[in-house]
Amino acid sequence: MMEPDGLLPVPDYVVFALMLVVSAAVGFYYAWVSRSQESSTDFLIAGRRLTALPVSLSLTASFMSSITVLSNPAEVYCYGAIFVYFGLAYILAMVVISEVFLPVFYRLALISTYEYLELRFNRATRLLGTVLFIVQTILYTGIVIYGPALALSQVTDLDLWSGIISTGIVCTLYCTLGGLKAVVWTDVFQVIMLAGYLAVIIRSVISQGGVVTVISDSQQGGRLNLLDFDINPQRRHTFWTTVIGGTFGYITVYGTNQSQVQRYVSCKSITHARVALYINLLGLFSFLLGSVFAGMCLYSVYKNCDPWTAGLVSAPDQLMPYMVIDMLTDYPGLPGLFFASVYSGSLSTVSSSINALAAVTLEDFIKPYTNMSEKHLFWMSKGLSFFYGVLCITMGRLASVMGGMMQAGVIVSGVIGGPLLGLFTLGILCPLANSKGALSGLVSGLAASLCVSLEALMYPSPPTMTRPLSLTTEGCNFTTTHSLNWTTTALPTESSSITTAPLQNIIHPTIWMNFELVISCEYCIRDDFRNLLYNSLALSCIFIISNNHTYLNCSLF
């Protein structure tokens, strides 16, 4: 197995640039056709005249971000196809949203979802809910912008900050010019662009000899772990944690999040809004099955030589781009189509967030306290879209410290989205609830979820709970200057006899070296071994825990 050089030919850049140009052109088009309309309502919710089909595609595109394209296959690759049970969560969530949340928001004709909180409780609750949404959305959008740009820059010659800035500028441009109409119709185009995702799957299936081979490899590698019904809530993925946790998570996204609610309340009737939700359900199923099968293809291709363990990529999020470079470079344009699909996922999510942030800021912080004319509110909406576009690009830098894309997204959504879901549910389903109870419940819920998340970050779940599946490098064929394999049976709490002095004596500072340390123990925590090899050595190590072994795959310079 050879490491791809990551160089992309000109056709790939042409495809990628074409995606950005078309997205920007949609913004210019709706800015032109709507030039005689100067209403903030038209700009933010398209005058409530949209139909079900474009709204459903926009709902799907904005939810299925670049995190889905890159992280979901990696999750299946590392933890198995039990991820597919999220499909049941989709169904349960859409039924609840269609029958409980949609009728309330649509009939009140609200632009800002959080206006409901003032109608039901008081203004303080509304303002706190809006502030939490703004914080959550800006942080999450930073992850969506930064994550794919980083993953692609690590395995291709695409510049990190060029990817971030180009994504942010194009989003800001068509959101500021065209409003919600531009966002929705650009999302429709970006769903089509995800054909690049399908191209990778088809090519990997052909290279492996067919779908049956992919499924067989996944079965033999333990990836078809669909019969895990453990009720322990600390487990990473089981039937119950996936279905129950996923249901509440998707109700939070589609039932109370401004970015999604703003779309279905822009439909011309409540029937169109319901139909949009259920058509969107078909889109969610398609992407879920595609991402699960992509993860199975990843395993089938790299079952004997895992790029992550081998140090060819630094994070699982980079596995899909790595496979694209590894398998599609002989087909000019297809790698560019895949990378365009990744950035399309970013564009759809970021544009939805920018439009939603502008809407809640205008409706919750400006209109109630000013007497601006409709024309001034219209231009204020455009100004807010531009401001939040620039802010989201800036926040992309913060995302670099938040770890894996999927984990970071879940953390941000869980800490803030969970308490907000509880607040809206309290207001809709509990007639006796008052403003004091709602406000205190929101604050206490936020504190509790923050504590749980911080504890999870400080004390990660042991391997017995996450249960990563085995990965191997036995089939790798690398040419390296040196190779060592050290093994010890020391437990984490015992002192080890391994020393780094011999390495310092035998290795020249300019020689690259790759070696693997295998530590046999029942429960291994990577931090227990961090100081084992780091004494005065320039090491970059990847820790893999599987089959009661901790593998440290290190590069020494």
Side-chain angles (χ1 to χ4, degrees):
M1 177 180 175
M2 298 300 294
E3 182 178 358
D5 58 18
L7 297 177
L8 296 178
V10 173
D12 295 312
Y13 287 103
V14 172
V15 172
F16 181 77
L18 184 62
M19 180 272 297
L20 296 177
V21 169
V22 172
S23 298
V26 173
F28 281 108
Y29 172 77
Y30 279 102
W32 174 256
V33 299
S34 304
R35 63 190 184 280
S36 61
Q37 300 175 355
E38 294 186 345
S39 164
S40 61
T41 301
D42 284 329
F43 185 82
L44 296 173
I45 58 172
R48 293 168 67 94
R49 294 189 297 270
L50 295 176
T51 55
L53 184 58
V55 171
S56 65
L57 293 176
S58 179
L59 287 169
T60 301
S62 59
F63 178 71
M64 290 300 169
S65 67
S66 53
I67 294 179
T68 303
V69 176
L70 296 180
S71 294
N72 286 8
E75 191 77 5
V76 174
Y77 178 81
C78 295
Y79 297 97
I82 195 169
F83 199 79
V84 76
Y85 284 130
F86 277 116
L88 296 177
Y90 292 159
I91 296 174
L92 296 173
M94 292 306 154
V95 171
V96 172
I97 293 161
S98 176
E99 301 304 321
V100 177
F101 293 92
L102 170 61
V104 173
F105 294 137
Y106 192 89
R107 287 167 183 156
L108 288 174
L110 304 176
I111 294 179
S112 170
T113 309
Y114 304 95
E115 186 178 352
Y116 168 79
L117 298 178
E118 182 175 357
L119 296 175
R120 178 63 178 85
F121 299 116
N122 57 22
R123 178 163 293 186
T125 307
R126 172 185 181 178
L127 295 179
L128 180 57
T130 302
V131 169
L132 291 176
F133 167 75
I134 291 174
V135 172
Q136 173 192 12
T137 304
I138 291 174
L139 290 175
Y140 183 75
T141 305
I143 298 167
V144 170
I145 292 176
Y146 179 84
L150 176 64
L152 298 185
S153 69
Q154 296 294 317
V155 296
T156 71
D157 57 343
L158 290 173
D159 181 66
L160 171 62
W161 293 107
S162 295
I164 292 175
I165 293 173
S166 62
T167 302
I169 289 177
V170 171
C171 276
T172 303
L173 181 65
Y174 69 75
C175 287
T176 303
L177 292 176
L180 184 64
K181 288 181 181 178
V183 172
V184 168
W185 284 104
T186 306
D187 287 347
V188 172
F189 164 70
Q190 287 157 2
V191 168
I192 298 173
M193 286 301 300
L194 288 172
Y197 197 45
L198 186 60
V200 183
I201 296 175
I202 293 174
R203 179 67 186 91
S204 60
V205 169
I206 293 174
S207 71
Q208 295 306 107
V211 173
V212 174
T213 303
V214 173
I215 295 175
S216 175
D217 290 341
S218 300
Q219 175 67 41
Q220 293 175 16
R223 264 62 189 174
L224 299 185
N225 52 349
L226 303 179
L227 301 179
D228 191 342
F229 295 95
D230 189 347
I231 62 174
N232 189 338
Q234 293 182 316
R235 288 283 310 282
R236 184 181 182 96
H237 292 314
T238 67
F239 174 86
W240 301 110
T241 58
T242 303
V243 173
I244 297 176
T247 299
F248 283 100
Y250 298 129
I251 291 175
T252 300
V253 173
Y254 281 96
T256 64
N257 188 287
Q258 174 71 24
S259 300
Q260 303 296 75
V261 174
Q262 188 173 339
R263 272 154 185 70
Y264 55 72
V265 300
S266 67
C267 290
K268 61 171 61 178
S269 69
I270 193 170
T271 301
H272 274 270
R274 277 203 174 96
V275 172
L277 281 174
Y278 287 115
I279 296 177
N280 157 72
L281 186 59
L282 297 177
L284 295 181
F285 274 134
S286 300
F287 283 112
L288 175 65
L289 294 176
S291 62
V292 170
F293 192 70
M296 293 167 61
C297 290
L298 269 175
Y299 180 74
S300 180
V301 172
Y302 297 117
K303 60 183 181 292
N304 295 320
C305 183
D306 170 40
W308 184 29
T309 310
L312 299 178
V313 297
S314 59
D317 298 334
Q318 299 168 12
L319 287 168
M320 280 296 290
Y322 181 87
M323 187 168 73
V324 169
I325 296 299
D326 192 17
M327 303 186 68
L328 295 183
T329 49
D330 293 334
Y331 302 87
L334 284 184
L337 185 61
F338 172 79
F339 297 136
S341 72
V342 173
Y343 277 95
S344 291
S346 290
L347 288 173
S348 61
T349 304
V350 174
S351 61
S352 302
S353 299
I354 291 173
N355 194 255
L357 288 167
V360 298
T361 303
L362 185 73
E363 293 294 321
D364 296 335
F365 291 112
I366 296 177
K367 284 181 71 172
Y369 306 101
T370 63
N371 293 315
M372 288 185 180
S373 65
E374 192 59 39
K375 181 178 181 179
H376 286 143
L377 290 173
F378 170 76
W379 286 105
M380 179 64 72
S381 301
K382 287 180 173 287
L384 288 170
S385 295
F386 178 80
F387 167 76
Y388 280 117
V390 174
L391 183 60
C392 288
I393 296 173
T394 305
M395 292 302 295
R397 182 66 185 89
L398 178 64
S400 63
V401 301
M402 297 193 68
M405 290 162 55
M406 186 173 187
Q407 178 186 1
V410 170
I411 290 171
V412 171
S413 299
V415 169
I416 298 178
L420 286 176
L421 173 62
L423 179 63
F424 279 100
T425 305
L426 180 71
I428 293 173
L429 299 182
C430 301
L432 298 180
N434 57 30
S435 58
K436 291 182 180 179
L439 196 58
S440 60
L442 176 60
V443 173
S444 59
L446 183 65
S449 60
L450 183 62
C451 289
V452 170
S453 297
L454 290 176
E455 182 182 7
L457 288 174
M458 295 171 62
Y459 306 101
S461 297
T464 52
M465 293 292 103
T466 58
R467 297 189 185 180
L469 299 174
S470 61
L471 301 169
T472 183
T473 58
E474 292 179 357
C476 295
N477 182 20
F478 298 117
T479 301
T480 59
T481 307
H482 296 280
S483 180
L484 293 177
N485 189 346
W486 294 348
T487 304
T488 179
T489 57
L491 293 174
T493 55
E494 297 176 353
S495 60
S496 173
S497 59
I498 295 176
T499 102
T500 59
L503 286 176
Q504 291 171 300
N505 293 334
I506 66 173
I507 301 173
H508 188 275
T510 61
I511 295 178
W512 179 82
M513 181 176 185
N514 181 271
F515 59 90
E516 185 178 80
L517 169 66
V518 183
I519 301 176
S520 302
C521 61
E522 185 175 0
Y523 302 114
C524 295
I525 301 175
R526 70 182 194 180
D527 290 340
D528 294 323
F529 309 105
R530 188 178 299 277
N531 296 325
L532 205 60
L533 295 172
Y534 277 22
N535 297 332
S536 70
L537 287 174
L539 287 173
S540 175
C541 295
I542 301 172
F543 293 77
I544 311 293
I545 300 175
S546 65
N547 294 337
N548 293 336
H549 289 76
T550 293
Y551 299 90
L552 289 80
N553 200 278
C554 305
S555 297
L556 175 62
F557 297 90

